[in-house]
């Protein structure tokens, strides 16, 4: 952020008195949809606010981040660039060049973990936040942090802002707090040096304390790790880390920007004392999703290009199985003919967009789809878009027959321009989850002119309102009946058109121009309270 201590670099001089905001960017390094997507969108939105001086916090979940430049460091330009370059290397991969580096890194990491423990128990010096200057590394910053979600039109705004580096791994900071809670009964975390920063926005309950004069806002997406721990990965760690960091954030006076009123209610169920500091600001939609004209001739190619194919889970102690997630063909000619016929103009398919994990309820949709094919429409297709998450074995096993029979298609890494068309041409986009904080897929589909059927949970009613039809996510018969009405009833076409119209209005509530002013108002209010 600074060329020299106290002198702004690539931030307008006119912003010297602007509100200083730092945004946690860790999720944007870890994934594509959900919290990573919203992190990128929020940074983009804040970057265009003229009275906000913005920076991102670069921190890894497991590894330490190397490099960065301290305030006032007397370094040549070459030395500074070398340290910034080391930051990029550590964000991309482990920083071992030979065996001596491996040993040295291991020793350094062990010493660092003990320093974190001491900072947790005894206080002392705050963890430093070093500087990282964007202007020298614009390709990396854009490609790695933003390009997967933010449109290129926002690139200039985004690349005007620098970043800060927290070397300490996020998980290691959490473990310190969990350890203290286990031994002393109350969680506590190291302090990070946020001096000069008015507001720090964390994307999940944060395992750290901020300096006096800095307000902490937790962008609170959901309480699922505590209220539905059976549905998450790495359950023991994620439940404990979420609860203890959240409890500490509440005690320390943090503010909470909840992505839905349903999420806010869950927060207050856990910690009612946070009521005066918790507001609801819904997630915002990416500009990628907007109404599109029908292009049915493109659907077959999109489906064919983005299928999972063979899926081999990452290495583990258990024996690994290769899952065949696309239909086999004898010849390329046979394959081309199959896709052009299966997704010819006028074909019907259901669409679900979500990571494959238990909470998303893929199995219920599979059962309903199979029941509709058996009883009413043997040609009805099902398209599942999303990465393979965790606890997937039962779901993948249930998918295999449908895949080989040519009715079920499993896709991943579908770019927004293709996903727009899938949303538009799907007969119905189905959102069957049993628990959500917001659920992007439904409003994305509505924005693209799609039709939505969703599980009858509070957050869906809040976010989708009357622009979706609802079903009981625990009852296959309920799912079948809701879909049958939208697909085959005498007035099904009219019902779908009415939902498209209502969906266009409902989804407009989540456009950036509607959400950004709410963030601006919150930032001004909490910064005033911290001064």
């Amino acid at each position: 952020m600074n060329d020299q201590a106290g002198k702004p670099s690539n931030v307008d001089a006119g912003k010297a008195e602007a509100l200083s905001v730092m945004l946690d960017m860790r999720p944007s390094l870890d994934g594509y949809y959900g919290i990573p997507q919203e992190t990128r969108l929020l940074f983009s939105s804040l970057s265009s606010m003229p009275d906000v001086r913005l920076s991102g916090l670069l921190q890894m979940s497991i590894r330490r981040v190397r490099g960065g430049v301290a305030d006032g460091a007397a370094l040549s330009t070459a030395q500074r660039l070398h340290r910034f370059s080391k930051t990029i290397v550590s964000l991309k991969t482990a920083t071992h060049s030979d065996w001596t580096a491996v040993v040295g890194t291991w020793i350094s990491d062990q010493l660092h973990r003990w320093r974190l423990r001491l900072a947790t128990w005894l206080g002392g010096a705050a963890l430093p936040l070093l500087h990282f200057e964007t202007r020298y590394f614009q390709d990396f910053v854009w490609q790695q942090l933003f390009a997967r979600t933010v449109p290129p039109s926002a690139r200039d705004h985004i690349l005007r802002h620098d970043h800060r580096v927290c070397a300490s791994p996020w998980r290691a900071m959490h473990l310190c707090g969990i350890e203290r809670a286990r031994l002393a009964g109350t969680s506590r975390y190291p302090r990070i040096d946020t001096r000069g920063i008015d507001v720090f926005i964390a994307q999940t309950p944060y395992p750290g304390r901020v300096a006096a004069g800095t307000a902490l806002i937790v962008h609170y997406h959901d309480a699922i790790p505590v209220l539905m721990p059976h549905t998450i990965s790495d359950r023991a760690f994620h439940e404990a880390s979420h609860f203890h960091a959240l409890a500490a954030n509440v005690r320390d006076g943090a503010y909470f920007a909840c992505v839905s009123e349903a999420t806010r209610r869950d927060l207050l169920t856990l910690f009612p004392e946070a009521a005066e500091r918790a507001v609801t600001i819904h997630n915002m939609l990416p500009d990628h999703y907007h109404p599109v004209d029908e292009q049915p001739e493109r659907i077959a190619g999109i489906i064919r290009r983005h299928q999972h194919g063979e899926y081999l889970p990452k290495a583990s102690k258990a024996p690994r199985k290769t899952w065949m997630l696309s239909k086999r063909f004898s010849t390329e000619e046979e394959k081309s003919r199959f896709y052009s016929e299966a997704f010819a103009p006028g074909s019907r398919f259901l669409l679900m967009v979500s990571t494959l994990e238990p909470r998303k309820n893929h199995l219920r949709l599979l059962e309903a789809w199979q029941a509709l094919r058996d009883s009413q429409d043997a040609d009805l297709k099902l398209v599942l878009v999303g990465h393979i998450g965790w606890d997937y074995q039962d779901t993948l096993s249930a998918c295999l027959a449908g895949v080989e029979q040519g009715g079920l298609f499993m896709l991943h890494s579908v770019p927004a321009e293709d996903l727009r068309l899938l949303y538009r041409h799907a007969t119905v986009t189905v959102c069957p989850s049993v628990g959500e904080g917001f659920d992007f897929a439904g409003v994305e589909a509505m924005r693209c002119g799609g039709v939505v059927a969703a599980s009858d949970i509070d957050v869906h009613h809040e976010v989708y309102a009357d622009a979706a039809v609802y079903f009981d996510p625990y009852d296959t018969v309920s799912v079948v009946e809701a879909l049958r009405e939208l697909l085959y009833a005498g007035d099904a076409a009219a019902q779908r058109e009415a939902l498209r119209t209502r969906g266009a209005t409902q989804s407009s509530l989540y456009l950036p121009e509607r959400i950004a002013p709410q963030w601006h108002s919150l930032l001004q209010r909490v910064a005033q309270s911290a001064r």
Side-chain angles (χ1 to χ4, degrees), residues 487-521:
L487 290 166
Y488 309 115
D491 63 344
Q495 287 189 62
R496 294 197 300 270
E497 285 309 307
L499 288 172
R500 290 186 209 279
T501 300
R502 292 198 291 269
T505 301
Q506 184 66 20
S507 62
S508 70
L509 299 177
Y510 311 111
L511 295 175
E513 56 265 31
R514 303 288 289 272
I515 303 300
Q518 298 174 48
W519 272 103
H520 188 268
S521 176

Side-chain angles (χ1 to χ4, degrees), residues 247 250-251 254 256 267-278:
V250 171
R251 286 195 304 270
F256 295 87
L267 169 65
L268 300 186
T269 296
L270 293 166
F271 297 103
E273 62 269 37
E276 296 300 315
R277 292 176 276 119

Side-chain angles (χ1 to χ4, degrees), residues 1 100 331 506:
M1 184 179 292
T100 58
T331 65
Q506 184 66 20

Side-chain angles (χ1 to χ4, degrees), residues 352-391:
M352 180 179 175
V353 180
S354 174
T355 298
L356 198 152
E357 43 117 333
R359 176 172 53 90
K360 300 298 186 175
N361 208 18
H362 289 76
L363 277 173
R364 189 72 58 199
L365 177 57
L366 277 168
E367 291 174 358
W369 168 69
Q370 289 163 345
L372 286 169
R373 277 171 62 92
D374 291 344
S375 65
Q376 195 140 11
D377 185 354
D379 290 329
L380 180 66
K381 308 298 191 297
L382 175 60
V383 177
L384 303 179
V385 178
H387 295 287
I388 309 299
W390 52 91
D391 293 346

Side-chain angles (χ1 to χ4, degrees), residues 347-351 365 368-369 372-373 376-377 380-381 425-430 451 453 469 479-496 499:
S347 60
R348 293 173 179 265
F349 67 94
L350 303 176
L351 174 67
L365 177 57
W369 168 69
L372 286 169
R373 277 171 62 92
Q376 195 140 11
D377 185 354
L380 180 66
K381 308 298 191 297
H425 287 282
T427 313
V428 182
T429 293
V430 188
V451 175
V469 298
V479 184
V480 170
E481 290 305 315
L483 294 175
R484 181 176 283 132
E485 277 294 303
L486 285 176
L487 290 166
Y488 309 115
D491 63 344
Q495 287 189 62
R496 294 197 300 270
L499 288 172

Side-chain angles (χ1 to χ4, degrees), residues 175-496:
L175 290 172
C176 288
I178 293 170
E179 179 182 74
R180 191 183 191 281
R182 185 170 61 246
L183 297 176
T186 304
S187 57
R188 188 183 179 191
Y189 296 88
R191 188 180 301 279
I192 58 175
D193 187 1
T194 58
R195 289 175 298 173
I197 295 168
D198 296 309
V199 182
F200 170 43
I201 305 172
Q203 292 295 340
T204 56
Y206 193 72
R209 294 172 290 146
V210 294
T214 300
L216 172 64
I217 297 177
V218 176
H219 194 189
Y220 197 57
H221 297 269
D222 58 66
I224 286 168
V226 176
L227 300 182
M228 300 183 73
H230 58 291
T231 68
I232 62 175
S233 64
D234 197 2
R235 294 177 184 88
F237 170 75
H238 282 130
E239 192 282 332
S241 63
H242 188 105
F243 177 80
H244 290 302
L246 180 60
N249 294 162
V250 171
R251 286 195 304 270
D252 292 342
Y255 292 80
F256 295 87
C258 303
V259 301
S260 63
E261 187 59 27
T263 291
R264 184 176 184 273
R265 287 195 298 271
D266 286 344
L267 169 65
L268 300 186
T269 296
L270 293 166
F271 297 103
E273 62 269 37
E276 296 300 315
R277 292 176 276 119
V279 301
T280 296
I281 302 178
H282 290 111
N283 282 335
M284 65 183 78
L285 277 172
D287 290 341
H288 293 307
Y289 300 106
H290 52 75
V292 291
D293 294 332
E294 293 189 8
Q295 301 178 55
E297 70 281 357
R298 290 189 55 194
I299 299 302
I302 292 171
I303 300 292
R304 182 175 175 176
R305 279 195 302 276
H306 298 294
Q307 289 193 73
H308 272 284
E310 290 187 357
Y311 173 68
L312 180 64
K314 293 180 180 179
S316 68
K317 293 181 181 179
R320 290 192 294 167
K321 172 183 178 179
T322 299
W323 303 83
M324 179 54 67
L325 302 183
S326 61
K327 182 176 171 61
R328 297 176 177 89
F329 296 94
S330 301
T331 65
E332 198 63 28
E333 181 182 0
E334 178 189 1
K335 186 176 183 179
S336 297
R337 183 170 60 252
F338 169 79
Y339 283 105
S340 63
E341 292 175 355
F343 291 95
S347 60
R348 293 173 179 265
F349 67 94
L350 303 176
L351 174 67
M352 180 179 175
V353 180
S354 174
T355 298
L356 198 152
E357 43 117 333
R359 176 172 53 90
K360 300 298 186 175
N361 208 18
H362 289 76
L363 277 173
R364 189 72 58 199
L365 177 57
L366 277 168
E367 291 174 358
W369 168 69
Q370 289 163 345
L372 286 169
R373 277 171 62 92
D374 291 344
S375 65
Q376 195 140 11
D377 185 354
D379 290 329
L380 180 66
K381 308 298 191 297
L382 175 60
V383 177
L384 303 179
V385 178
H387 295 287
I388 309 299
W390 52 91
D391 293 346
Y392 54 78
Q393 290 85 352
D394 288 346
T395 302
L396 287 189
S397 294
C399 288
L400 294 180
V403 168
E404 192 54 38
Q405 291 165 10
L408 174 60
F409 303 83
M410 304 186 71
L411 281 57
H412 71 108
S413 302
V414 180
E417 56 269 24
D418 288 347
L419 191 53
R420 277 198 304 267
L421 290 174
L422 293 180
Y423 280 137
R424 179 66 183 88
H425 287 282
T427 313
V428 182
T429 293
V430 188
C431 305
S433 178
V434 296
E436 289 288 349
F438 181 82
D439 203 351
F440 276 102
V443 289
E444 290 174 353
M446 292 175 190
R447 199 75 210 133
C448 298
V451 175
V452 176
S455 55
D456 188 11
I457 58 177
D458 286 349
V459 71
H460 280 162
H461 282 282
E462 174 189 343
V463 175
Y464 302 160
D466 65 350
V469 298
Y470 297 96
F471 52 78
D472 182 345
Y474 298 100
D475 184 356
T476 302
V477 173
S478 178
V479 184
V480 170
E481 290 305 315
L483 294 175
R484 181 176 283 132
E485 277 294 303
L486 285 176
L487 290 166
Y488 309 115
D491 63 344
Q495 287 189 62
R496 294 197 300 270

